[in-house]
Amino acid sequence: MCNVWNITFFPLFFSSLGLISDSFHMFFDCTALLAGLAASVISKWRSNDAFSYGYVRAEVLAGFVNGLFLIFTAFFIFSEGVERALEPPDVHHERLLPVSILGFIVNLIGIFVFQHGGHGHSHGSGHEHSHSLFNGGLSHGHSHGGHGHSHEHKHAHGHSHGHSHGHSHGQDYCHDDHSLEGMAGSSKQILQGVFLHIVADTLGSIGVIISAILMQNYGLMIADPICSMLIALLIGVSIVPLLKESIGILMQRTPPSLENALPQCYQRVQQLQGVYSLHDPHFWTLCTDVYIGTLKLLVAPDADGRWILSQTHNIFTQAGVRQLYIQIDVAAM
Amino acid sequence: PEEAAGPVSGVWWGLCPDNCPLSFCRLTRYIVLLCFTKFLKAVGLFESYDLLKAVHLVQFIFIVQLGSAFFMLLFQKPFSSGKVVTKRQWIKIFKHAVVGCIISLLWFFGLTLCGPLRTLLLFEHSDVVVLSLLSVLFTSSGGGPAKCPLTVFPKVVIIFILAALYSSLIFFFYLAEGHHDSALTHVLYTIIAFLGVADHKGGVLLLVLALCCKVGFHMASRKLSVDVGGAKRLQALSHLVSVLLLCPWVIVLSLTTESKVESWSSLIMPFITVIFFVVILDFYVESICSVKMEASTCARYGSFLIFTSALLFGNFWTHPITDQLRAMNKPPHHESTEHVLSGGVVVSAVFFILSANILSSPSRKGQKGTLIGYSPEGTPLYNFMGDALQQSSQSLPRFIKESLKQILEEYDSRQIFYFLCLNLAFTFVELFYGVWTNSLGLISDGFHMLFDCSALVMGLFAALMTRWKATRIFSYGYGRVEILSGFINGLFLMVIAFFVFIESVARLVDPPDIDTNMLTPVSVGGLIVNLVGICAFSHAHSHGASRGGCHSHDHSHSHHGHSHSHGHSHSHSDHGHNHGHSHGSSGGGMNTNMRGVFLHVLADTLGSVGVIVSTIFIQRFGWLIADPLCSLFIATLIFLSVIPLLKDACQVLLLRIPPEQEKDLHAALEKIQKIEGVISYRDPHFWCHSASVVAGTIHVQVVSDVTEQRIVQQVTAILKDAGVNNLTVQVEKEAYFQHMSGLSTGFQDVLAMTQQLESMKYYKDGTYIM
């Protein structure tokens, strides 16, 4: 939990350095922060009558909102960059270099922390994950350790570019949340995404340093808008997969990590004795690694319903589906 | 047309690279050769651009044709070898030469207008690419998936995005570049200037025209070349004839106008390089390569290299001959005639390379796509896959027609579409007028309107997408899109309102002077457009309500088509339980998407009303503070009206029990409890997937001697009455709990259940004894 506070106040601390000139960026930072905090609190609320699954989806929603805002920010930065590329304004670049170097160092530290702390964290989460698999299959109100702030890194990310894109902070913390997701799903893809993320951030701060040097030494004013455009592109590119993921979850998409496993499961179910067919299978993600599925089986009149039920549950639990609802329809004679 | 159809289908189907077991070594040799030639061709074109500054266009073409005819005759010896050419064939060759001359005239004239870089980018598409582009755009796929590749649809989308981006960027950079070549004078140029098209664009049009002509010409000359005895022989003869054709013109020209060139001798070398690089070498190598490799691969590598080298030269070409010429003859060329490399050109070059790659790559993926399609035996589950694929394999007009039809057949989307058209028309009028009168305010307002249109486009797209059928991946269908779109619209409105608020607070402190002259007509126009929109959308609301009446309790019909979306949502809301949320100024009768769009339009209307009101105040009374006050007020209003929308969307996205049906559902659950044989139920989850789909899942525990089927039917019936139309009931008998406890059930739950079972057992024992 201390991570959350770290990520939350680190940027605030930085923004108080007076680097923010624009209320626009301030606003986005604040909303991102607030959304993140609110989501991490809300997602821990117990489920009640109205929200039978609890509020765990809040984190997905917050991630989605943050992603949207970030895309918007990136677009804004990009258009401003284009504007400035056409007529470069005077930039006060005296302090830019030290600040950007500072940002780069923070970024490097971030990578370092991620590489070391991230592993530990992901191990821990993996443990927690298996634990809840045994224990909490039906307790959907349970809180998932770190998911609460899976979106946090987005804001931290955007934040870093929001100011004179000199510093980025704390992405690292969020990356390990990512690796937590990776534990649940296709870890390879996610890890790749994380790597890309880190590279994007570091490239961004390197770009800032280079542009600062160019501006200071050679007076190439165009370096700044080009750099900010590149950064905007980097933000956009790094946000898109996350946005896609959250939209997928919100639209009750079949979880990508199950996509390959499901056809096999269907076949195995159909091979059970007495099962005629399988229809209306719906599998979807509740929050980061909780999958819920419903399906209907058409069985022979003399089939053993209980056995089929437990076998089917078995099959899908192995595939990673947490909650399963199976409706058994008996075929007419 | 049949000739054209052949190679097209060949590109897609016949020319799979795997089919040709050529050794890779040989292929690479040809590719290297091709690349080298293309590189040289780029050099040649850059040189010829320089030459064209000194030499008249017709003279230049004449010399090039003469030289190439000479060399071709030398190499080919068309008269000494092969069949005798008949008179009819001579006539055909004559026609061929005339067309060829016209095309090369167009081409080189385009070169003088556009500069070598743009010419290379535009003109050097190979036939395959152009044909496949044309086939994507204009052929109607009568035969369905058999003829057209399955991946055309995404390609079309990509190309259109690229084209839109490209055109906007060109426009943008065109504004940035300004006019930078106006020195050339020519007859055609005056026509182009007369037409009012800027010179670059005129050249671009010319080149595109020439390109299309060239492709058609190549297609048409294919048959002729077979008749005459080979493309090379035809080419040689045609060059010869065109030399003869151009000869009188050149003579007349050289008699009437004095030549700019003093010494032709210094131009011999450049001319020879141009002749070799641009005409002869390119022709031979391309014919060899298209024989040895497939046309598509050839096109891909060729276009890639020629574009890259064009970009390179565009940056680094120093125009050596121009300097030479300038040194030789005194009349100085204008510096401004150099066609510089601009950002737009670079971007477009990248796009061209990409699209050439996309278009010329044989669609192997698409061929496989039909073979994929998982289908477990005995289940009709994934039949829609085929439909979806068939749907995607359409050419553009057909696609547009289909989607228009889809848009128009549904009330929501029709409304949005009409309003979008109106809005776009207004925007473009505004933009054009702004460009015409060079008023920055109008242009920026136009761009603002365009941005607004994006919200409408999103709404339209969502309204369309909602009706897509469920797929294997999106098993509940795409109904949620409308909620997401409404949510996004609401969010952005919120952001905009916030900004307006902040800015107006800042202005409240220090009200700036505003130029009010320009504002009024524009804002009145905007107001009228938006008012129309509001009328349309609120009409949609009442319409929805009236339709909702006839569907109000009709829950039994299947909800696969989402055609009743808003009607249905209304029918839910008129269940009459005072669900404690009020929907701002928009009615509760619309679906989320429509509400989002409506709110957006409403916000725009309020904005223009605010502008008008504040303008009046400022002009009449000189109250500068009226403007920030108005915007403050409007921002608050927008804010307040968006909140209920956001709240509703959030509730749906958080999987809340639909508030309209909450009571019904609770009553239904009580009823379930009372069904004979039901011990208890657990995990009742009900949530609104979209406006028309309410999904639910429930576990029901029963005593062991009841028929499961009966319970399922009863529970389904009860919940269907409560409005749940996508239900899964899991019936569990007591032995099941032991199974489940080993698998995944939570410890506490198992404990509770076993306790429950214990208590039930006594009762059951009693019944057994009886």
Side-chain angles (χ1 to χ4, degrees):
Chain A
M1 251 329 73
C2 132
N3 277 350
V4 178
W5 295 107
N6 262 341
I7 323 157
T8 314
F9 288 110
F10 215 40
L12 270 188
F13 169 69
F14 263 94
S15 48
S16 66
L17 283 179
L19 284 165
I20 299 177
S21 54
D22 222 342
S23 68
F24 186 85
H25 299 147
M26 183 90 134
F27 167 68
F28 273 118
D29 293 344
C30 291
T31 43
L33 284 176
L34 282 180
L37 264 185
S40 63
V41 171
I42 286 175
S43 63
K44 300 222 164 46
W45 289 358
R46 284 294 186 80
S47 58
N48 52 22
D49 270 356
F51 292 87
S52 56
Y53 282 111
Y55 292 84
V56 277
R57 274 251 170 139
E59 72 191 41
V60 181
L61 203 62
F64 177 63
V65 171
N66 274 342
L68 270 185
F69 279 1
L70 265 186
I71 287 277
F72 198 45
T73 318
F75 180 77
F76 184 79
I77 293 176
F78 189 83
S79 63
E80 209 170 37
V82 170
E83 227 166 79
R84 285 191 183 187
L86 293 182
E87 35 185 295
D90 270 346
V91 182
H92 300 290
H93 50 264
E94 297 86 31
R95 274 206 233 146
L96 192 56
L97 190 62
V99 170
S100 59
I101 288 175
L102 196 70
F104 181 63
I105 291 170
V106 170
N107 223 329
L108 277 185
I109 294 173
I111 292 175
F112 198 67
V113 171
F114 164 63
Q115 277 182 342
H116 285 246
H119 277 294
H121 193 90
S122 64
H123 283 309
S125 71
H127 178 68
E128 196 239 357
H129 172 71
S130 58
H131 179 70
S132 58
L133 191 75
F134 279 116
N135 226 3
L138 293 171
S139 65
H140 14 268
H142 66 282
S143 61
H144 288 271
H147 306 313
H149 37 273
S150 64
H151 42 262
E152 293 284 356
H153 79 281
K154 293 179 184 170
H155 99 254
H157 190 70
H159 194 82
S160 69
H161 305 301
H163 333 303
S164 58
H165 33 264
H167 57 288
S168 53
H169 22 251
Q171 288 98 335
D172 34 317
Y173 299 112
C174 20
H175 293 318
D176 49 25
D177 297 330
H178 239 286
S179 63
L180 184 145
E181 284 173 29
M183 289 308 286
S186 52
S187 54
K188 204 174 176 184
Q189 196 184 354
I190 300 280
L191 277 179
Q192 211 175 5
V194 171
F195 179 70
L196 227 149
H197 226 94
I198 298 172
V199 169
D201 291 340
T202 320
L203 281 183
S205 50
I206 290 174
V208 171
I209 292 176
I210 290 173
S211 77
I213 291 173
L214 281 180
M215 277 196 292
Q216 218 156 27
N217 294 351
Y218 305 100
L220 279 176
M221 281 307 167
I222 204 150
D224 182 50
I226 288 176
C227 174
S228 58
M229 274 194 275
L230 278 182
I231 286 172
L233 278 183
L234 281 179
I235 300 177
V237 167
S238 62
I239 286 306
V240 162
L242 299 165
L243 209 58
K244 225 164 140 184
E245 192 186 339
S246 60
I247 284 180
I249 292 177
L250 289 177
M251 278 185 61
Q252 320 280 75
R253 183 192 197 281
T254 303
S257 55
L258 289 185
E259 233 170 74
N260 293 322
L262 282 178
Q264 287 173 7
C265 292
Y266 295 157
Q267 268 174 354
R268 281 174 66 190
V269 169
Q270 278 178 336
Q271 280 159 6
L272 291 178
Q273 202 175 11
V275 175
Y276 283 170
S277 72
L278 176 154
H279 52 115
D280 290 355
H282 298 298
F283 287 87
W284 47 279
T285 319
L286 178 62
C287 61
T288 19
D289 58 352
V290 182
Y291 304 128
I292 294 179
T294 64
L295 53 106
K296 296 181 181 176
L297 293 178
L298 193 67
V299 300
D302 55 345
D304 183 2
R306 274 171 285 181
W307 180 75
I308 290 173
L309 202 59
S310 66
Q311 284 300 312
T312 316
H313 267 270
N314 217 341
I315 288 167
F316 281 102
T317 311
Q318 281 170 13
V321 180
R322 211 53 93 67
Q323 286 184 43
L324 190 62
Y325 297 80
I326 300 161
Q327 176 170 338
I328 292 183
D329 294 326
V330 179
M333 286 300 275
Chain B
E2 276 157 274
E3 284 169 2
V8 174
S9 52
V11 174
W12 299 121
W13 298 106
L15 299 167
C16 190
D18 296 341
N19 294 344
C20 340
L22 274 175
S23 66
F24 188 69
C25 248
R26 269 178 64 199
L27 266 185
T28 35
R29 209 170 63 208
Y30 286 115
I31 288 169
V32 167
L33 188 65
L34 182 72
C35 290
F36 185 63
T37 320
K38 290 286 174 191
F39 180 76
L40 286 184
K41 188 172 183 180
V43 174
L45 264 178
F46 270 84
E47 274 214 25
S48 55
Y49 173 67
D50 288 344
L51 274 177
L52 271 172
K53 278 181 192 159
V55 186
H56 192 274
L57 179 69
V58 182
Q59 282 173 339
F60 175 79
I61 292 173
F62 172 72
I63 293 170
V64 170
Q65 295 278 21
L66 184 70
S68 47
F70 175 70
F71 285 112
M72 292 281 254
L73 287 180
L74 211 66
F75 292 142
Q76 289 299 317
K77 303 188 180 63
F79 296 109
S80 57
S81 64
K83 298 178 287 184
V84 182
V85 183
T86 62
K87 197 173 181 187
R88 183 168 293 169
Q89 281 172 347
W90 271 115
I91 292 169
K92 276 185 183 168
I93 289 172
F94 181 73
K95 281 180 193 163
H96 183 269
V98 169
V99 179
C101 271
I102 291 171
I103 288 173
S104 51
L105 265 173
L106 284 178
W107 179 27
F108 283 107
F109 185 60
L111 177 68
T112 59
L113 285 184
C114 283
L117 173 58
R118 290 168 177 80
T119 311
L120 278 172
L121 283 183
L122 279 168
F123 194 69
E124 293 305 318
H125 295 284
S126 72
D127 302 354
V128 173
V129 173
V130 177
L131 277 176
S132 54
L133 178 67
L134 289 180
S135 74
V136 165
L137 290 180
F138 294 117
T139 50
S140 64
S141 64
K147 260 188 187 170
C148 263
L150 301 166
T151 44
V152 162
F153 176 68
K155 274 177 192 167
V156 168
V157 172
I158 290 167
I159 288 162
F160 265 75
I161 291 166
L162 292 189
L165 269 175
Y166 170 64
S167 53
S168 60
L169 277 168
I170 284 292
F171 180 67
F172 194 68
F173 282 99
Y174 187 75
L175 284 182
E177 277 171 29
H179 307 266
H180 63 160
D181 50 352
S182 50
L184 296 166
T185 47
H186 199 272
V187 188
L188 271 173
Y189 175 69
T190 52
I191 293 170
I192 288 165
F194 179 72
L195 284 174
V197 190
D199 42 12
H200 263 187
K201 284 179 186 167
V204 167
L205 284 180
L206 212 69
L207 280 176
V208 170
L209 187 76
L211 176 64
C212 292
C213 286
K214 184 185 86 169
V215 172
F217 171 63
H218 280 186
M219 285 300 127
S221 66
R222 194 163 286 185
K223 197 164 165 255
L224 182 64
S225 68
V226 174
D227 281 351
V228 174
K232 289 166 195 164
R233 194 170 174 213
L234 173 70
Q235 202 69 18
L237 290 175
S238 158
H239 276 305
L240 191 65
V241 175
S242 54
V243 166
L244 296 178
L245 266 175
L246 284 173
C247 196
W249 193 357
V250 171
I251 291 168
V252 169
L253 210 83
S254 54
L255 285 181
T256 49
T257 59
E258 76 272 29
S259 173
K260 278 189 266 182
V261 186
E262 271 124 40
S263 69
W264 285 93
S265 57
S266 68
L267 292 179
I268 287 175
M269 263 318 283
F271 264 115
I272 288 176
T273 52
V274 167
I275 289 163
F276 260 101
F277 289 168
V278 177
V279 185
I280 295 178
L281 203 58
D282 184 54
F283 176 72
Y284 276 106
V285 169
E286 204 155 278
S287 60
I288 289 170
C289 284
S290 58
V291 169
K292 299 291 179 192
M293 297 190 292
E294 324 80 56
S296 55
T297 326
C298 191
R300 203 170 348 157
Y301 289 109
S303 59
F304 176 73
L305 199 99
I306 203 159
F307 290 157
T308 348
S309 51
L311 275 182
L312 269 179
F313 283 129
N315 215 2
F316 300 116
W317 188 260
T318 47
H319 303 279
I321 304 176
T322 323
D323 296 337
Q324 210 180 331
L325 284 176
R326 206 172 293 155
M328 276 192 314
N329 42 12
K330 284 297 130 185
H333 294 263
H334 290 269
E335 275 303 320
S336 59
T337 53
E338 306 303 328
H339 295 267
V340 290
L341 190 73
S342 72
V345 178
V346 175
V347 171
S348 64
V350 171
F351 284 156
F352 274 135
I353 291 172
L354 277 180
S355 61
N357 241 331
I358 293 166
L359 281 170
S360 60
S361 62
S363 59
R364 263 179 298 165
K365 229 183 196 172
Q367 291 173 21
K368 255 186 188 171
T370 50
L371 300 177
I372 298 177
Y374 164 75
S375 63
E377 64 278 4
T379 51
L381 216 73
Y382 307 128
N383 285 353
F384 45 76
M385 280 296 283
D387 290 338
L389 289 171
Q390 257 178 355
Q391 222 173 16
S392 68
S393 65
Q394 281 165 353
S395 64
L396 191 73
R398 179 121 171 218
F399 172 71
I400 289 175
K401 222 165 91 185
E402 293 279 313
S403 46
L404 262 184
K405 210 173 119 195
Q406 271 187 356
I407 287 169
L408 293 183
E409 78 189 3
E410 179 66 21
Y411 197 82
D412 288 6
S413 48
R414 197 168 56 212
Q415 224 64 28
I416 298 179
F417 181 70
Y418 287 154
F419 183 61
L420 180 67
C421 288
L422 185 68
N423 218 337
L424 275 181
F426 182 72
T427 309
F428 277 110
V429 166
E430 204 176 55
L431 270 181
F432 275 116
Y433 193 71
V435 171
W436 187 275
T437 57
N438 213 2
S439 116
L440 206 66
L442 269 181
I443 294 176
S444 68
D445 195 65
F447 275 111
H448 182 120
M449 289 279 282
L450 264 188
F451 193 68
D452 280 356
C453 284
S454 68
L456 282 178
V457 169
M458 190 174 70
L460 184 66
F461 191 65
L464 271 185
M465 214 168 149
T466 341
R467 272 177 270 148
W468 288 4
K469 284 179 189 154
T471 62
R472 190 165 66 91
I473 302 300
F474 290 90
S475 55
Y476 285 105
Y478 290 84
R480 276 252 164 132
V481 172
E482 70 180 23
I483 289 154
L484 276 181
S485 130
F487 186 67
I488 294 172
N489 255 333
L491 268 185
F492 279 129
L493 271 182
M494 203 84 145
V495 171
I496 290 168
F498 185 83
F499 283 132
V500 171
F501 194 87
I502 292 279
E503 202 162 291
S504 56
V505 166
R507 285 193 180 184
L508 206 60
V509 180
D510 177 27
D513 268 338
I514 301 167
D515 177 30
T516 51
N517 300 326
M518 216 41 227
L519 288 174
T520 351
V522 176
S523 53
V524 166
L527 177 68
I528 290 168
V529 169
N530 281 323
L531 274 181
V532 171
I534 283 191
C535 283
F537 288 124
S538 53
H539 177 61
H541 167 209
S542 65
H543 191 86
S546 70
R547 271 172 67 166
C550 31
H551 290 287
S552 72
H553 286 279
D554 183 15
H555 295 301
S556 58
H557 64 279
S558 70
H559 290 268
H560 290 299
H562 300 274
S563 55
H564 304 302
S565 57
H566 59 260
H568 215 271
S569 71
H570 193 85
S571 79
H572 290 320
S573 67
D574 67 18
H575 277 285
H577 312 292
N578 41 355
H579 37 277
H581 59 284
S582 60
H583 305 290
S585 50
S586 69
M590 287 182 255
N591 62 36
T592 323
N593 183 21
M594 288 297 276
R595 271 169 66 194
V597 171
F598 178 81
L599 279 181
H600 206 106
V601 176
L602 188 78
D604 282 356
T605 319
L606 283 179
S608 36
V609 167
V611 168
I612 290 171
V613 168
S614 57
T615 311
I616 289 171
F617 271 119
I618 290 171
Q619 276 181 344
R620 287 285 159 82
F621 310 106
W623 295 345
L624 284 180
I625 210 164
D627 179 49
L629 274 181
C630 262
S631 28
L632 260 186
F633 180 68
I634 288 166
T636 329
L637 219 59
I638 294 172
F639 208 72
L640 289 180
S641 61
V642 167
I643 283 179
L645 171 73
L646 277 186
K647 203 176 127 197
D648 283 4
C650 269
Q651 280 181 352
V652 174
L653 290 177
L654 285 177
L655 304 181
R656 190 196 197 283
I657 288 181
E660 296 91 6
Q661 284 141 294
E662 215 172 341
K663 293 233 165 118
D664 283 1
L665 286 172
H666 284 305
L669 287 178
E670 274 169 29
K671 263 195 225 166
I672 289 171
Q673 187 77 284
K674 283 174 194 148
I675 296 175
E676 194 192 338
V678 172
I679 301 170
S680 72
Y681 63 87
R682 63 184 173 92
D683 296 349
H685 294 303
F686 301 100
W687 37 274
C688 220
H689 181 70
S690 64
S692 60
V693 177
V694 178
T697 55
I698 189 168
H699 286 190
V700 178
Q701 280 111 46
V702 297
V703 294
S704 55
D705 56 345
V706 291
T707 357
E708 290 163 349
Q709 197 55 36
R710 185 176 60 84
I711 302 283
V712 168
Q713 274 165 6
Q714 279 177 342
V715 170
T716 313
I718 289 170
L719 285 174
K720 212 155 216 173
D721 273 349
V724 181
N725 46 33
N726 192 332
L727 182 70
T728 311
V729 184
Q730 176 167 328
V731 178
E732 299 162 352
K733 294 186 179 179
E734 82 272 45
Y736 174 72
F737 301 139
Q738 275 91 48
H739 279 294
M740 287 315 291
S741 63
L743 279 173
S744 67
T745 327
F747 182 66
Q748 294 296 326
D749 290 31
V750 176
L751 205 66
M753 264 184 271
T754 40
Q755 276 170 356
Q756 227 169 18
L757 268 179
E758 291 301 321
S759 62
M760 290 311 289
K761 249 180 193 155
Y762 294 119
Y763 163 73
K764 235 170 20 186
D765 285 345
T767 53
Y768 278 140
I769 291 162
M770 270 173 73

